[in-house]
Amino acid sequence: MSIAACGGTTTSDSAQNSASRVYDTPPAKGDVDMIKWNLPTGEPATMYPPHSFDFSAGTVMSNLCDTLVTTEPDLTDGMGLAEKVDHPDLTTYVFTIHDGVRFWNGDPLTAEDVAYSLGINLDPAVATYYGAMYKNVESIKATGPLEVTVKLRKPDVSFYNYLDSAGGAIGQEKFMRAAGARYGTPSGGLMCSGPYRLKKWTPGEQIELQRNDDYWNPKHRAHSAAMSFQFITSSNTMMQALQSGAVDGSFQLSSASVPGLQNSSTGTLYSSTATRTISALLPATSDGPIADVRIRRALSMAIDRAGLVQGVLHGLGTPLNWMMPDTVMDTPVQTEASSKVYKDALATVPKGSLDEAKKLVEEAGAPNRPLVLAIPEGDEEIRRVGTVLQSTAEQVGLKLDLRVTPPADLNNMYYDPQQRAGIDLLWDNDTMAGGSPLSMFGSYLGPDAGNNLLNYQNPEVDAAMDKAAATDDQVEQAKILAPVLVKVAEDAVMITLYTPNANTFLSKQLTGVGLADPFFASGIWAPSIGAAK
């Protein structure tokens, strides 16, 4: 079985991952009238920026609402609304905003709009999902007509690293205040300054965008006059839509779609290893059997990660033994020196064996009920992985039940304890923002981390995170954080499985799509797609 693997390589069921780390397709040669795109994780629950912490919302909003900084196609940092960022000390950022930027309604964008858009995340009543980003922010103020100054209580790279996400989306203060709780909903809409404007959101059907012909940045002038986003979550239904031409493209394609799309006459399936996304099992409670580190370690030890990649993903992924994907460990994200520190530490992560895993379960005592893993509905790849994990658990004396859940409900489980009642593990796809593990640690480690559902506490880990946040030197950070990565892997704070390849399908009539994951959720990706001929 072979597919377009981004650079002429092929991938086979029995071979190692041979896809290339390629970041984009050839540039567009002309304009098109319409692009129909799919959101495989379903309809966004909202596009209210503080509550838009999922792939679907990010994929749409990255083309609607500008951010101060952005992600480039090669996953390095780029400049957005900010033409300059000064960092005079470790607790101060000063952003100089581009002059001449206008919202879709023609009003000029001001420093007050920027300060308000970011500042709402500091309001406890807003209950932002970007707590890791804003937890150490002391103040956000307009300090000039086109200048915004952010003060931190202590050094924290998470704020800057997440600025390219929906948590850093800039809207018009006047419009946001008038819309109130309806802002970011189908009825309330958005008012931003991006290369596309929100035309209409029809719940349950589609989101329609229209090109912003007055966009301030010619680099991102859109090739397509309009875009339509569909909400197909079933792998089989999505495959049929792509094959028939009813949909022009999609990111995040499940490997289950590969056999049906590899020889498509309507488009090309690209698979790239340029990804910051990890697939993992996230402990969902501080009670019950999963709270016992021996049970977590046993399950983690027993998992054949390479077997999952080859047997379920058709080789389109990379086994992952800790909370840092290969792309983030390599240049250009890291220096050669910091990359070596991380890779040397990764080699020390203990693998364990089935026999060791069985002994841990015996020592802890086999739970008197099955562990329950919540997985998203409609994803055949994840269902197959879940089935393999059930067999794996049985081999070491554990039982694992699968709770198939609508994607939107699964996303809500992260924030609503009642929705995750009776759940031990959540299927977790997450991405690392920026080049430091601190950006992910901020969400999963420490007492204030929103995804620390396990309530994992380790004073040494917390102290190391604070120490690493106090330096901008990548090598020094790596020396501090590499042992933390090893420790949280040993404690199975997150049971990492693999980094799935960035699988993208694009109509043969189109080109210019960025292939890296999660470029589509934190960079301006849609304007570059246009006619292939």
Side-chain angles (χ1 to χ4, degrees):
M1 178 183 72
S2 64
I3 64 174
C6 306
T9 58
T10 61
T11 304
S12 69
D13 284 335
S14 59
Q16 294 296 314
N17 189 349
S18 56
S20 304
R21 189 173 295 170
V22 176
Y23 296 93
D24 50 27
T25 56
K29 295 183 178 180
D31 291 352
V32 295
D33 293 330
M34 168 66 76
I35 294 174
K36 296 167 290 184
W37 206 262
N38 188 52
L39 300 174
T41 52
E43 182 175 8
T46 180
M47 287 198 287
Y48 177 53
H51 294 170
S52 297
F53 201 73
D54 60 281
F55 286 119
S56 289
T59 303
V60 180
M61 292 178 66
S62 58
N63 304 288
L64 295 173
C65 300
D66 286 318
T67 51
L68 291 173
V69 297
T70 187
T71 298
E72 296 296 329
D74 65 355
L75 298 181
T76 57
D77 292 336
M79 302 304 292
L81 287 173
E83 67 175 3
K84 185 175 68 169
V85 181
D86 292 316
H87 194 26
D89 57 64
L90 289 172
T91 58
T92 305
Y93 290 94
V94 181
F95 300 92
T96 302
I97 313 301
H98 277 283
D99 194 7
V101 178
R102 292 186 178 274
F103 291 108
W104 302 326
N105 61 9
D107 292 345
L109 181 146
T110 68
E112 285 77 10
D113 292 309
V114 174
Y116 178 80
S117 298
L118 302 180
I120 57 176
N121 291 276
L122 303 183
D123 182 354
V126 169
T128 181
Y129 293 177
Y130 289 87
M133 174 180 175
Y134 287 98
K135 66 181 180 181
N136 289 314
V137 175
E138 183 176 80
S139 65
I140 303 172
K141 296 180 179 179
T143 48
L146 292 172
E147 182 183 277
V148 174
T149 299
V150 178
K151 290 283 189 179
L152 306 180
R153 296 184 185 89
K154 64 179 182 179
D156 186 351
V157 300
S158 295
F159 171 74
Y160 189 86
N161 283 342
Y162 276 105
L163 273 176
D164 58 5
S165 69
I170 305 303
Q172 185 182 41
E173 178 181 1
K174 177 178 66 176
F175 187 96
M176 294 171 74
R177 287 186 181 276
R182 296 187 305 115
Y183 189 73
T185 68
S187 63
L190 294 165
M191 184 52 63
C192 295
S193 59
Y196 283 94
R197 63 183 71 206
L198 179 61
K199 180 181 179 182
K200 186 178 182 181
W201 180 355
T202 305
E205 294 185 16
Q206 64 179 345
I207 296 173
E208 299 172 74
L209 311 187
Q210 181 180 356
R211 182 169 57 210
N212 177 11
D213 289 322
D214 298 318
Y215 188 54
W216 62 274
N217 189 349
K219 174 184 175 182
H220 294 300
R221 183 259 177 193
H223 283 289
S224 180
M227 289 197 73
S228 171
F229 287 94
Q230 313 298 309
F231 315 136
I232 306 171
T233 58
S234 165
S235 299
N236 290 333
T237 304
M238 178 166 50
M239 182 174 62
Q240 292 169 7
L242 293 169
Q243 284 279 38
S244 68
V247 174
D248 294 313
S250 179
F251 298 117
Q252 295 183 291
L253 287 171
S254 165
S255 63
S257 303
V258 169
L261 293 174
Q262 59 177 330
N263 297 315
S264 172
S265 61
T266 59
T268 303
L269 177 65
Y270 299 92
S271 189
S272 172
T273 61
T275 176
R276 287 179 177 174
T277 294
I278 67 174
S279 294
L281 308 180
L282 179 67
T285 176
S286 59
D287 297 318
I290 205 65
D292 191 321
V293 66
R294 295 167 296 184
I295 298 297
R296 299 197 306 274
R297 283 176 177 166
L299 184 57
S300 182
M301 282 182 180
I303 295 171
D304 179 1
R305 292 163 174 80
L308 282 177
V309 168
Q310 294 304 319
V312 180
L313 273 64
H314 305 287
L316 302 181
T318 304
L320 184 66
N321 293 307
W322 67 356
M323 292 171 60
M324 191 174 187
D326 288 358
T327 301
V328 186
M329 282 195 292
D330 292 339
T331 57
V333 177
Q334 297 293 332
T335 66
E336 290 187 5
S338 61
S339 176
K340 184 177 187 303
V341 173
Y342 285 122
K343 290 179 179 179
D344 287 349
L346 175 58
T348 70
V349 174
K351 303 298 190 300
S353 66
L354 279 177
D355 286 341
E356 290 176 87
K358 289 177 183 177
K359 290 179 181 177
L360 284 172
V361 172
E362 291 173 359
E363 180 183 319
N368 57 10
R369 63 168 179 82
L371 300 175
V372 180
L373 166 63
I375 63 172
E377 182 180 57
D379 193 310
E380 181 62 17
E381 173 189 299
I382 295 175
R383 187 196 65 77
R384 292 177 183 175
V385 171
T387 300
V388 173
L389 294 177
Q390 285 181 303
S391 176
T392 298
E394 288 184 5
Q395 293 182 59
V396 296
L398 299 171
K399 292 184 178 180
L400 181 67
D401 284 350
L402 304 181
R403 179 83 55 85
V404 180
T405 308
D409 291 347
L410 180 58
N411 186 62
N412 289 336
M413 285 181 180
Y414 285 83
Y415 314 108
D416 187 344
Q418 291 184 343
Q419 288 213 31
R420 63 175 183 267
I423 302 295
D424 297 288
L425 296 160
L426 299 178
W427 180 271
D428 190 39
N429 281 340
D430 204 350
T431 60
M432 181 177 286
S436 170
L438 281 174
S439 60
M440 182 167 281
F441 286 174
S443 293
Y444 292 92
L445 301 176
D448 299 322
N451 290 346
N452 185 9
L453 310 179
L454 178 65
N455 194 26
Y456 177 77
Q457 298 180 28
N458 186 314
E460 293 182 0
V461 167
D462 294 344
M465 289 168 59
D466 287 341
K467 183 179 179 181
T471 178
D472 285 333
D473 185 279
Q474 284 189 301
V475 176
E476 287 305 309
Q477 271 203 359
K479 290 178 180 178
I480 298 167
L481 294 177
V484 174
L485 282 160
V486 174
K487 176 60 178 173
V488 296
E490 290 177 346
D491 289 349
V493 178
M494 169 191 281
I495 302 175
T496 55
L497 301 175
Y498 50 78
T499 54
N501 283 9
N503 298 324
T504 304
F505 185 90
L506 186 65
S507 165
K508 290 183 178 178
Q509 305 301 314
L510 302 171
T511 188
V513 67
L515 299 173
D517 184 349
F519 169 58
F520 56 81
S522 56
I524 301 173
W525 62 269
S528 63
I529 304 176
K533 297 180 180 179

